[in-house]
Amino acid sequence: MHYSVLRPGTESRQEIEVQRSRFIAVLRRVESEEDARSMIAGLRQQYRDARHHCSAFVLGPDRQQRRSNDDGEPAGTAGPPMLEALTGHTPTNGVADLSDVCAVVIRYFGGTLLGTGGLTRAYSSAVASALDGASFLTRSRMRMAALIIPTADMGRYLHAFRRAGYPVLGESYSESGSNVRVRLGIADDAGALAEAAELTARLGLGAHPLELGDPLWIDAPASPDEHQHGTQVRPGT
């Protein structure tokens, strides 16, 4: 199982203007409804002179936890279109699977009524603009797998694992320095685990079989070539 998320610690903030009304969209990654509520409250305080602080968020790998709020705008003209912009976005591989994300759009009224259609388009466009400026990762449910490899050949082995799409999650050297214990992320299904074991044997590491750990949620770049830049790990549930 996998889905798209924002890169941790990043924020996308974009502003659009529609008939002198300012719409400031802020997009952040959140791990829980509490995180989302905290973000909304913080932006409400930061922009306390604004008329509206509308919001929408989506949570979980199945994206079933969804909330939106019009915050005083006509019903259905702000929160729902913002939520639709989040759930319809296709960050990677053309798949609409973005989750663990909260969007807040702050509106400064410009003196001209936009009507229900104008408001819907404005709030949706503000979120879409922030999404276009965001940076994404793929979060996958994997198993931590460890194995021993000779230090002298570590570069060759690590290159092979990364090319096969297995993110390297960590390394620890033996006291003698002759071997390295490497931790990999492998998709949590029987086929993927069998393929990893086959690759290990093909590389001549059959004497050190994979040691499988508990399932984890792992953030990794969409392209295997990017795995060298690191991953983010969260225990599985």
Side-chain angles (χ1 to χ4, degrees):
M1 176 181 286
H2 57 82
Y3 61 100
S4 296
V5 292
L6 292 172
R7 286 184 180 270
T10 65
E11 174 187 281
S12 182
R13 189 178 296 231
Q14 300 290 333
E15 179 176 337
I16 65 172
E17 184 173 321
V18 181
Q19 296 188 40
R20 296 194 300 277
S21 277
R22 295 171 57 205
F23 294 84
I24 304 168
V26 183
L27 207 65
R28 293 179 192 164
R29 179 166 169 176
V30 291
E31 301 290 350
S32 64
E33 184 166 348
E34 183 180 1
D35 283 352
R37 300 292 183 195
S38 177
M39 171 186 168
I40 296 165
L43 289 169
R44 186 181 295 276
Q45 177 63 23
Q46 181 180 351
Y47 294 95
R48 54 185 176 275
D49 57 336
R51 178 171 292 192
H52 303 284
H53 306 79
C54 304
S55 59
F57 59 85
V58 186
L59 292 169
D62 53 10
R63 308 203 304 166
Q64 289 187 351
Q65 191 173 357
R66 305 179 183 190
R67 300 286 187 275
S68 66
N69 191 307
D70 293 312
D71 193 41
E73 294 283 27
T77 62
M82 291 170 59
L83 184 60
E84 186 175 349
L86 292 178
T87 57
H89 190 64
T90 54
T92 59
N93 301 322
V95 179
D97 63 353
L98 179 62
S99 192
D100 294 350
V101 60
C102 181
V104 177
V105 176
I106 300 101
R107 182 189 180 193
Y108 285 91
F109 182 56
T112 301
L113 296 175
L114 303 183
T116 57
L119 285 171
T120 297
R121 288 189 294 274
Y123 279 100
S124 178
S125 296
V127 174
S129 178
L131 287 165
D132 287 342
S135 180
F136 301 96
L137 294 171
T138 298
R139 167 163 281 195
S140 300
R141 187 172 173 83
M142 295 186 171
R143 280 189 179 273
M144 182 85 78
L147 75 162
I148 305 298
I149 61 177
T151 302
D153 297 317
M154 183 173 68
R156 178 169 66 89
Y157 290 129
L158 293 188
H159 178 71
F161 288 125
R162 286 175 173 135
R163 285 295 298 268
Y166 305 128
V168 178
L169 307 179
E171 306 154 12
S172 56
Y173 291 82
S174 64
E175 291 186 7
S176 66
S178 59
N179 293 314
V180 182
R181 190 171 188 268
V182 175
R183 296 184 300 282
L184 307 173
I186 299 174
D188 187 22
D189 64 72
L193 295 172
E195 288 179 7
E198 181 182 347
L199 174 61
T200 299
R202 194 163 65 246
L203 292 173
L205 297 172
H208 304 287
L210 293 170
E211 304 170 24
L212 296 178
D214 294 331
L216 301 167
W217 282 105
I218 297 176
D219 292 351
S223 167
D225 292 337
E226 296 181 63
H227 285 305
Q228 60 185 317
H229 298 305
T231 57
Q232 297 286 327
V233 180
R234 188 177 72 178
T237 55

